[in-house]
Amino acid sequence: MSKLYSGAEIVFKCLEDQNVSTIFGYPGGAVLPIYDELKNHKSIKHILVRHEQGAGHAAEGYARSSGKPGVLLVTSGPGATNAVTALTDAYMDSVPLVCISGQVPTHLIGTDAFQECDTTGITRPCTKHNWLVKDVKNLSEVIHKAFEVATTGRPGPVLVDIPKDVQFQKAIYKKNKKQKRVNGKIHNVFNQNDINQLINLMDKSSKPIFYTGGGVINSGPKASELLRELVSITGFPITSTLQGLGAYPGDDSQFLGMLGMHGSYEANNAMHDCDLMINIGARFDDRITGKIDEFSPKSKKVHIDIDPSSINKNVKVDLPIVGDVNQVISSIIKTIKKIKPNFAKSNKQKISNWWEKIQKWRSIKSFDYINSTETIKPQYAVQRLYELTKNKDTYITTEVGQHQMWAAQHYKFDKPNRWMTSGGLGTMGYGLPAAVGVQVANPNKLVIDIAGEASVLMTMQEMSTAVQYSLPIKIFILNNEYMGMVRQWQELLHDKNYSESYTAALPDFVKLAEAYGCVGIRATKPDELDDKIIEMINTDRPVIFDCLVDKEENCFPMIPSGKPHNQMLLGPKDQKENKITKKGKILV
Amino acid sequence: MVKAKSAYSIPGKKGKLDTHIIVVWVDNEAGVLARVVGLFSGRGYNIESLTVAEIDPKLNISRITIVTTGTPQVIDQIKLQLKKLVPVHKVADFKREDKKVIFKEMALMKIVGKDSKRDKAIKICKKHNAIVLDKTKKSVVIQVTALRGEIDMMTKNLKKLGLVSVSRTGAVAMTRGAEIFK
């Protein structure tokens, strides 16, 4: 007879079989049997966070920087509900997470027991799938399936809820069996005909553009390499969404910068005027499209996505190609090489007018700002940070707001998996715990959270985690004492009524750093910025860097609410001519 | 002031709404109905009626039939989103007008009143496979199987004949001929 294992042992045997080396978690009554078993599994390192949301974001940072699924372990009730924000964040940004939660014993379920909540009910809309395991015999199969669901197709979070009595009960452990497919869910349904059609469109186009997204990164490092090859053999311009940054080198001449609400003038205008748009692994998010009715009116649209439900969801496309980005690009390249080996050369003439037009838009230099010798401009701070760290294979996380957009505009990435930001859900407080996870996955790398002072206070307690595990993360706060993006919208849309967007009693971040047992650095003048940044980089401990920046700087360019791509606000001077309409004001 | 919408883009023009019958084959497991229904409510889709029962106890398969309305784009989204759910095996979609598909709903109707009125009521129901399930001196319970509109009509007509209670199912659907949906 096979050996019997307790539910808690089975959890760890599954994690070992899935090659999990790190879990992020927080103990509590309903997961104590699992925590008791932790000591017997030396290959799995547990990172004790200070709040379950932190565990979730850390697991996200771990997953996005390593390409492996992130695992978190939380207790029942508040442990699970605290993880909900992180699960939703991972769902929106397609990050593979496996959340294991404790539950009250099966006989107490439904009795409003202490620390009971309907975890599977609460997390149903924010996970790809979840399971309540009521019988220990099913536990190993469920956990293996959870990993499979989280990592296949469009990745995302899953949750396994394990009642406390099941953690004690014994059963045979079943190894992971490679299943053919989960309920007939196939991910590559494209065929050669689709590829031929695409190449036909590419051949005819005189104003093409690649619009790439996080799907390229999720498809693995090979996909980014292939993307570079595809862009090079076609000679087409390329723009990227916020999540796709790093898939293509940010300083390359064919790269037009990020597109969307705070994207570059050239990228947005090229999207508006193009005659062929090839969307690779992006999802026509509302921050990208602007006003849908006037979104790129004259173009043929091609959409390459692994998730069939992404196609025609927001924007109707002419040629959908459902498949893994890596495999689709690979067959596009193969076909081009076969039937049109000199594609770039023969095509150069045809798209030369298009490139001229793009150069004109480029010459506007829409990311420019008026620098100052008196105060640190936030854009200048990000630029200096980039210049001083670009040779170090740096990993950047962010919170959400103005600083996030400035980071996306001015920090240039040339590798995938180096840029971790909450794009879909827009979770303030994401960056600090994510940096913890990134540093755990990449122990000897420089990890910087470009933060705002308001966001970072939402999960500041995770500094304590960083100190406990000697994770030398750098929290680079662009401190303007305002919720900057809220303030900006109030200035532009609400007659400068700065309702509740100023934080009057901020902590002294340098002293706060010291209280946590890490290093605090403050920069107040532009001429000391470089020295202080170098000091930060050279500190081999966690650092909170309080960078006092211009309080009233706005993030430009910007597509105002209710406007299409070709009506961007460029900067302070441009605003008078381009008023936001009443109708636009009511939109988020 | 226009009512605030939490969307960045101004809502586009609404397309024509069609009524579709969506049939979903699912693993009969805990919470599966909540997943399907939650998908509809969470994404703002419409449910006109819903019928669900296990059809294969051995394989543990349930068949869910949902009547819904939406623009062609929304109907497409409904199908694609349903197919993404882990316990969903397959999804079929029929237009209400489709002649190749049989749709049926069942209703139980209780009529209380005089003999003459009750007889009249049974007569009205006759052409819709009426079966009298229960009869007393004062009352009658009639079962009919018909299309939604027909049952609507009957209940309207029976009001004046002493209809006191109606219990209705949602629609079930099946293709005509030898073919089955794969």
Side-chain angles (χ1 to χ4, degrees):
Chain A
M1 210 188 129
S2 303
K3 199 181 163 209
L4 292 176
Y5 295 95
S6 73
E9 285 174 292
I10 289 173
V11 168
F12 282 100
K13 287 194 80 65
C14 288
L15 295 180
E16 283 166 353
D17 265 8
Q18 294 286 345
N19 295 318
V20 173
S21 55
T22 309
I23 54 177
F24 301 87
Y26 203 103
V31 278
L32 282 180
I34 297 177
Y35 271 90
D36 191 40
E37 185 58 28
L38 182 63
K39 63 179 188 299
N40 299 326
H41 303 269
K42 292 282 181 253
S43 68
I44 293 171
K45 187 175 182 190
H46 180 270
I47 305 286
L48 175 65
V49 294
R50 300 299 181 264
H51 184 287
E52 288 86 353
Q53 184 191 352
H57 293 321
E60 280 187 273
Y62 180 91
R64 291 175 71 160
S65 63
S66 69
K68 287 163 65 181
V71 182
L72 61 153
L73 176 57
V74 300
T75 191
S76 65
T81 57
N82 279 345
V84 165
T85 300
L87 290 171
T88 314
D89 190 273
Y91 194 53
M92 292 285 273
D93 283 345
S94 310
V95 182
L97 288 192
V98 177
C99 177
I100 294 169
S101 57
Q103 182 55 279
V104 299
T106 42
H107 66 272
L108 285 180
I109 289 177
T111 64
D112 297 329
F114 177 63
Q115 291 195 329
E116 183 193 354
C117 74
D118 177 8
T119 304
T120 47
I122 290 169
T123 58
R124 201 173 288 131
C126 62
T127 52
K128 274 182 89 178
H129 197 64
N130 59 19
W131 296 262
L132 169 62
V133 184
K134 283 182 161 176
D135 187 342
V136 71
K137 285 193 210 100
N138 302 328
L139 186 59
S140 39
E141 268 169 284
V142 165
I143 295 178
H144 287 310
K145 180 132 179 224
F147 274 88
E148 187 184 336
V149 171
T151 53
T152 52
R154 178 177 176 178
V158 297
L159 178 137
V160 182
D161 201 24
I162 312 174
K164 193 172 184 179
D165 54 337
V166 174
Q167 298 169 28
F168 282 118
Q169 285 159 12
K170 299 208 162 183
I172 295 164
Y173 172 70
K174 290 178 205 148
K175 275 206 170 241
N176 187 24
K177 271 182 279 172
K178 271 263 176 251
Q179 276 180 318
K180 279 183 294 181
R181 297 199 298 249
V182 184
N183 272 357
K185 290 188 172 42
I186 18 171
H187 306 299
N188 283 309
V189 293
F190 72 100
N191 55 37
Q192 188 59 38
N193 189 26
D194 296 332
I195 305 291
N196 293 344
Q197 276 189 53
L198 169 61
I199 287 169
N200 194 19
L201 288 172
M202 287 163 82
D203 200 29
K204 281 190 198 144
S205 166
S206 58
K207 293 189 277 184
I209 188 165
F210 286 115
Y211 146 47
T212 62
V216 182
I217 311 227
N218 271 337
S219 186
K222 187 87 215 292
S224 295
E225 277 172 39
L226 289 170
L227 177 68
R228 289 158 200 226
E229 191 182 345
L230 178 66
V231 173
S232 136
I233 63 168
T234 54
F236 290 180
I238 172 171
T239 175
S240 167
T241 66
L242 181 70
Q243 293 301 359
L245 295 176
Y248 192 83
D251 51 4
D252 188 88
S253 65
Q254 275 174 270
F255 188 62
L256 309 187
M258 178 177 78
L259 80 159
M261 193 177 232
H262 293 288
S264 77
Y265 187 71
E266 55 270 33
N268 283 329
N269 274 289
M271 285 288 278
H272 186 270
D273 286 3
C274 66
D275 67 359
L276 174 64
M277 176 189 297
I278 303 168
N279 171 343
I280 308 179
R283 59 182 178 95
F284 294 109
D285 176 80
D286 59 71
R287 302 283 120 160
I288 295 298
T289 59
K291 191 178 180 187
I292 286 271
D293 294 349
E294 291 174 49
F295 172 69
S296 192
K298 286 162 284 189
S299 64
K300 289 257 178 214
K301 297 175 187 73
V302 181
H303 190 178
I304 300 167
D305 204 302
I306 199 164
D307 175 8
S309 71
S310 275
I311 285 162
N312 293 337
K313 183 170 66 182
N314 302 327
V315 170
K316 199 123 182 74
V317 296
D318 302 283
L319 175 61
I321 300 179
V322 176
D324 182 14
V325 166
N326 185 5
Q327 295 178 40
V328 176
I329 302 187
S330 152
S331 34
I332 297 173
I333 292 175
K334 256 185 225 152
T335 315
I336 291 181
K337 280 183 176 164
K338 206 163 90 191
I339 59 176
K340 295 206 184 320
N342 291 315
F343 188 83
K345 253 189 213 158
S346 63
N347 206 44
K348 204 170 178 185
Q349 188 63 34
K350 203 195 241 166
I351 60 169
S352 63
N353 283 344
W354 178 232
W355 269 113
E356 265 168 44
K357 214 169 174 188
I358 289 170
Q359 294 306 349
K360 260 183 210 147
W361 289 322
R362 230 180 213 167
S363 64
I364 302 259
K365 297 206 164 123
S366 56
F367 290 163
D368 268 10
Y369 57 95
I370 304 159
N371 210 351
S372 155
T373 48
E374 296 299 307
T375 54
I376 303 174
K377 290 284 180 176
Q379 300 95 324
Y380 177 71
V382 175
Q383 277 180 338
R384 291 317 302 159
L385 185 70
Y386 169 61
E387 292 300 332
L388 296 168
T389 58
K390 66 179 177 186
N391 297 323
K392 287 188 180 297
D393 194 15
T394 310
Y395 289 71
I396 301 285
T397 70
T398 76
E399 311 290 336
V400 169
Q402 282 183 322
H403 67 273
Q404 178 189 28
M405 292 299 111
W406 283 317
Q409 291 176 346
H410 297 283
Y411 204 102
K412 312 248 180 280
F413 297 89
D414 65 350
K415 281 188 198 149
N417 305 98
R418 300 297 186 278
W419 165 246
M420 274 63 56
T421 191
S422 170
L425 193 64
T427 312
M428 292 170 73
Y430 169 87
L432 197 162
V436 167
V438 173
Q439 189 79 77
V440 169
N442 305 275
N444 299 312
K445 295 291 166 68
L446 178 60
V447 180
I448 303 172
D449 170 28
I450 299 179
E453 82 293 336
S455 285
V456 80
L457 281 175
M458 287 197 174
T459 49
M460 181 49 92
Q461 74 283 349
E462 300 304 332
M463 274 324 274
S464 177
T465 310
V467 172
Q468 179 176 342
Y469 297 97
S470 308
L471 303 168
I473 56 171
K474 314 289 185 258
I475 310 303
F476 190 77
I477 303 173
L478 300 175
N479 185 349
N480 61 4
E481 299 175 20
Y482 277 103
M483 294 153 213
M485 196 58 95
V486 174
R487 197 205 61 81
Q488 175 169 344
W489 282 61
Q490 288 171 333
E491 182 187 325
L492 299 177
L493 305 163
H494 296 275
D495 304 323
K496 305 192 179 182
N497 173 19
Y498 299 126
S499 180
E500 303 293 326
S501 57
Y502 182 74
T503 318
L506 283 169
D508 179 329
F509 283 104
V510 172
K511 281 188 184 156
L512 189 63
E514 283 157 13
Y516 274 117
C518 49
V519 179
I521 299 173
R522 178 172 293 127
T524 56
K525 292 268 170 274
D527 53 14
E528 62 176 7
L529 187 60
D530 276 23
D531 289 344
K532 298 272 170 109
I533 290 177
I534 291 167
E535 185 190 340
M536 172 184 87
I537 297 167
N538 291 337
T539 307
D540 195 24
R541 288 166 56 196
V543 176
I544 297 178
F545 190 108
D546 189 17
C547 186
L548 302 182
V549 298
D550 191 330
K551 292 190 181 42
E552 278 164 14
E553 190 69 18
N554 283 336
C555 184
F556 288 115
M558 173 180 180
I559 304 178
S561 299
K563 295 272 175 126
H565 273 163
N566 60 347
Q567 296 179 32
M568 293 196 84
L569 286 181
L570 279 171
K573 280 181 210 150
D574 191 57
Q575 277 162 42
K576 281 184 198 109
E577 298 124 54
N578 214 338
K579 273 262 169 72
I580 293 161
T581 59
K582 237 186 188 171
K583 233 176 170 182
K585 280 190 185 178
I586 58 162
L587 305 166
V588 175
Chain B
M1 185 78 187
V2 197
K3 225 168 125 195
K5 280 257 161 65
S6 68
Y8 166 56
S9 57
I10 291 168
K13 283 182 214 123
K14 282 224 172 100
K16 194 178 153 271
L17 296 183
D18 291 320
T19 301
H20 282 245
I21 287 93
I22 311 256
V23 183
V24 196
W25 285 261
V26 297
D27 289 324
N28 183 17
E29 60 184 30
V32 65
L33 187 61
R35 281 180 215 285
V36 170
V37 172
L39 189 144
F40 275 75
S41 63
R43 292 188 181 265
Y45 308 144
N46 207 10
I47 295 185
E48 234 175 56
S49 82
L50 173 82
T51 309
V52 51
E54 189 173 71
I55 52 162
D56 189 334
K58 216 170 175 187
L59 292 172
N60 238 349
I61 303 281
S62 286
R63 180 164 167 152
I64 304 177
T65 312
I66 302 166
V67 181
T68 182
T69 54
T71 59
Q73 206 174 345
V74 165
I75 299 290
D76 268 350
Q77 269 294 305
I78 291 175
K79 284 188 282 181
L80 293 167
Q81 294 289 353
L82 281 170
K83 279 182 194 166
K84 270 167 69 175
L85 297 178
V86 171
V88 168
H89 289 259
K90 55 181 179 176
V91 179
D93 158 39
F94 308 110
K95 267 195 163 179
R96 176 111 87 191
E97 301 85 60
D98 195 340
K99 290 279 176 287
K100 286 184 204 141
V101 185
I102 307 161
F103 303 114
K104 279 283 178 261
E105 291 183 28
M106 190 189 85
L108 301 180
M109 294 179 286
K110 181 176 285 183
I111 288 130
V112 178
K114 287 187 292 188
D115 269 358
S116 61
K117 281 196 175 179
R118 285 185 344 239
D119 289 345
K120 227 177 182 177
I122 294 168
K123 216 172 178 183
I124 287 177
C125 298
K126 262 274 159 60
K127 59 178 177 237
H128 298 299
N129 318 306
I131 299 170
V132 176
L133 298 176
D134 177 64
K135 215 171 180 179
T136 67
K137 275 181 190 161
K138 278 190 195 152
S139 71
V140 60
V141 176
I142 311 169
Q143 170 198 306
V144 290
T145 47
L147 292 172
R148 185 179 186 81
E150 293 166 344
I151 297 176
D152 285 347
M153 200 56 148
M154 264 185 277
T155 52
K156 208 175 147 198
N157 292 340
L158 293 177
K159 277 264 158 66
K160 52 185 182 287
L161 298 173
L163 179 70
V164 293
S165 179
V166 188
S167 176
R168 296 176 63 164
T169 67
V172 288
M174 188 158 284
T175 50
R176 291 182 191 274
E179 282 139 65
I180 55 162
F181 185 83
K182 284 213 186 81

